[in-house]
Amino acid sequence: MSVKEISKLLDFYTDVFSSETQLAKWYSSVYDSSALLYIPIQYAYDTQNQELINKLRKLFTYNTLLIVKKNSQADDLAKRTFYFTVSEYLRRNGIKDNAENIKMYNFIKSEVLYYWNKNPANIWDAESKKFYGVKQRIDYILSGNFNGNLSYYRAITDFELYVMGTGVSLLLIEKEAKQTITPDLVSIKDRFYQVLKKEVSIKDNKAWYLQPNIWRDHPDFQDVALEKSQSVNWDASHFSRMSAYLHLLKLNFQDDKPKYSYLEKLTTLLSNQLTTNIALYDSKNNVYTFNNYIDGNNSSFRSDIKDGKKGIQASQNFEHIFVGWWKMLNTNEVNIMYERIAKNVPYYSEQSAYITHDKGFFQEIVNLK
């Protein structure tokens, strides 16, 4: 299977992250590389593709982490995203007897524990109190206490999810390397499970939603049109990352049958949601159309938040499919979906300048098994 375009992208990012000067020209790479390289990392180690593994080792170094941290143009969320993807590289590569990787693991762990325990953790200024550390904000949300007049003030966001996802990944690294287990990482793992247990609503045993209606009064969701009994739920792009988090949590809870079974149920239901609510197959024409939200709602997303622009219109929030994180669900239905999509990438690229720009790369991503 060709990975020529993936290999070229790794070379590009290796150059970008080689110096502070280079990264200053391409600072969006901090966020972009985190999303685009996640599935190539998994594939490289799943198949032991030595060419890709060697390039990943060249790209992800301790110096890379220092350059990213120093960069003032990349925002805080981009850095949290980057630390998650690098942690996943370390998990797949291993850190045992590797001084460079141990330094990287310690660096990311230090960042994550600072986010977890000390970093100012308010997402919106109008939240009811000041939070220090993601843990404090998560615990307050789980308590059900008032957090401000708008519903989304108590929303769990990517700022918390990436920190918890990285903590769960780091814990697996420690277990694999037979390191002394860090209690705070265990705390992160357990909090993540509690979030899914307490804040998830399962509907008709066919779908699940994280904090349904929590976003109902957020500007990004102002154009969501609801039918009777519908809720405002996450957009499909942002929620695709949950596939990776569920995978990592299941690896951590393999020896806890009740918790593992619950996580496996969420995986099965999310796979069903993807292939029935989000990606709609037209068997006559052998193509998919895509809905913008995880419950099948196809309203606009993020309308008018910048300069009166229309945001993402109906059926246009689908590039996440090609980034490929959904592959982490690893179900037959998702595999079939990607096999079908792989046959028609030029058709989808006609609808997206983003996919057109790197059509060869996205063709390889959807091809990966």
Side-chain angles (χ1 to χ4, degrees):
M1 190 176 295
S2 172
V3 290
K4 182 177 70 174
E5 296 300 321
I6 293 173
S7 182
K8 278 169 58 179
L9 193 65
L10 285 169
D11 289 339
F12 170 74
Y13 283 131
T14 299
D15 180 57
V16 167
F17 291 114
S18 65
S19 70
E20 293 176 45
T21 305
Q22 281 294 85
L23 184 56
K25 297 178 195 172
W26 301 93
Y27 68 90
S28 64
S29 293
V30 176
Y31 188 85
D32 294 345
S33 67
S34 307
L36 296 176
L37 297 182
Y38 185 74
I39 290 300
I41 288 168
Q42 308 302 328
Y43 172 79
Y45 287 96
D46 283 346
T47 62
Q48 285 298 298
N49 184 306
Q50 209 55 50
E51 177 195 356
L52 295 184
I53 288 171
N54 289 341
K55 292 196 174 192
L56 287 166
R57 288 172 177 164
K58 190 175 176 185
L59 166 60
F60 292 126
T61 66
Y62 182 69
N63 192 53
T64 301
L65 290 172
L66 293 179
I67 287 170
V68 166
K69 184 172 183 180
K70 287 178 186 174
N71 185 272
S72 59
Q73 296 156 292
D75 64 22
D76 185 49
L77 181 59
K79 292 177 182 180
R80 294 182 196 214
T81 309
F82 192 78
Y83 297 151
F84 173 73
T85 295
V86 179
S87 180
E88 280 289 271
Y89 156 73
L90 292 172
R91 179 178 72 83
R92 297 309 308 268
N93 190 80
I95 66 168
K96 200 171 183 181
D97 303 322
N98 185 317
E100 175 80 359
N101 285 1
I102 289 170
K103 277 172 68 179
M104 293 168 70
Y105 147 78
N106 282 325
F107 177 98
I108 295 173
K109 185 170 80 166
S110 174
E111 293 293 301
V112 164
L113 295 186
Y114 180 71
Y115 283 133
W116 185 245
N117 291 313
K118 296 180 181 178
N119 192 59
N122 287 68
I123 306 300
W124 295 281
D125 290 338
E127 291 181 51
S128 68
K129 57 179 289 187
K130 284 286 182 188
F131 300 111
Y132 294 93
V134 167
K135 177 178 179 288
Q136 197 178 91
R137 185 170 189 272
I138 289 288
D139 283 353
Y140 194 79
I141 289 170
L142 290 173
S143 75
N145 289 329
F146 177 78
N147 199 31
N149 290 320
L150 296 177
S151 65
Y152 67 87
Y153 291 160
R154 66 173 299 274
I156 293 164
T157 72
D158 282 340
F159 284 90
E160 295 88 22
L161 290 170
Y162 272 118
V163 168
M164 291 193 293
T166 309
V168 171
S169 177
L170 290 169
L171 184 57
L172 288 166
I173 291 170
E174 290 188 344
K175 290 176 180 177
E176 177 65 27
K178 296 183 168 50
Q179 300 266 101
T180 301
I181 299 300
T182 303
D184 272 336
L185 297 182
V186 177
S187 168
I188 290 172
K189 175 203 70 171
D190 291 339
R191 286 308 191 293
F192 207 154
Y193 181 83
Q194 288 170 31
V195 163
L196 294 178
K197 195 67 178 170
K198 187 162 185 180
E199 298 293 324
V200 158
S201 174
I202 294 176
K203 186 171 183 181
D204 301 330
N205 228 23
K206 293 180 179 177
W208 64 272
Y209 305 116
L210 179 63
Q211 298 183 298
N213 259 340
I214 203 80
W215 297 108
R216 65 184 179 272
D217 45 19
H218 190 281
D220 286 4
F221 296 79
Q222 66 181 1
D223 285 342
V224 176
L226 299 177
E227 295 178 12
K228 195 173 180 181
S229 81
Q230 279 188 322
S231 302
V232 175
N233 288 299
W234 281 64
D235 77 285
S237 179
H238 285 84
F239 212 71
S240 67
R241 298 154 190 165
M242 195 58 70
S243 308
Y245 303 146
L246 286 172
H247 175 72
L248 293 171
L249 284 165
K250 285 193 294 183
L251 291 175
N252 261 297
F253 283 108
Q254 287 179 93
D255 298 328
D256 188 328
K257 193 171 180 182
K259 289 188 171 82
Y260 183 89
S261 295
Y262 177 70
L263 295 165
E264 184 64 19
K265 180 176 184 177
L266 295 186
T267 300
T268 301
L269 293 180
L270 189 55
S271 172
N272 180 65
Q273 286 165 255
L274 172 61
T275 54
T276 59
N277 290 351
I278 301 168
L280 310 178
Y281 185 57
D282 175 358
S283 57
K284 183 180 177 182
N285 297 306
N286 298 316
V287 294
Y288 282 87
T289 56
F290 303 98
N291 289 327
N292 284 356
Y293 293 89
I294 62 167
D295 57 359
N297 194 308
N298 202 25
S299 302
S300 300
F301 177 56
R302 286 185 164 171
S303 299
D304 302 318
I305 59 166
K306 286 184 179 177
D307 306 321
K309 293 179 182 176
K310 291 183 178 179
I312 300 171
Q313 298 300 289
S315 300
Q316 292 303 301
N317 185 20
F318 71 90
E319 289 152 353
H320 58 94
I321 296 284
F322 291 82
V323 177
W325 286 42
W326 295 106
K327 286 174 175 273
M328 300 306 292
L329 293 171
N330 197 29
T331 63
N332 190 48
E333 292 84 359
V334 172
N335 293 339
I336 290 170
M337 181 194 79
Y338 274 108
E339 285 171 9
R340 289 169 173 167
I341 287 172
K343 295 173 184 175
N344 280 300
V345 171
Y347 166 81
Y348 303 106
S349 71
E350 288 173 7
Q351 303 165 52
S352 166
Y354 179 74
I355 295 172
T356 298
H357 184 263
D358 285 305
K359 187 165 65 176
F361 171 80
F362 290 118
Q363 178 73 66
E364 290 180 4
I365 291 293
V366 296
N367 284 349
L368 297 180
K369 302 229 189 295

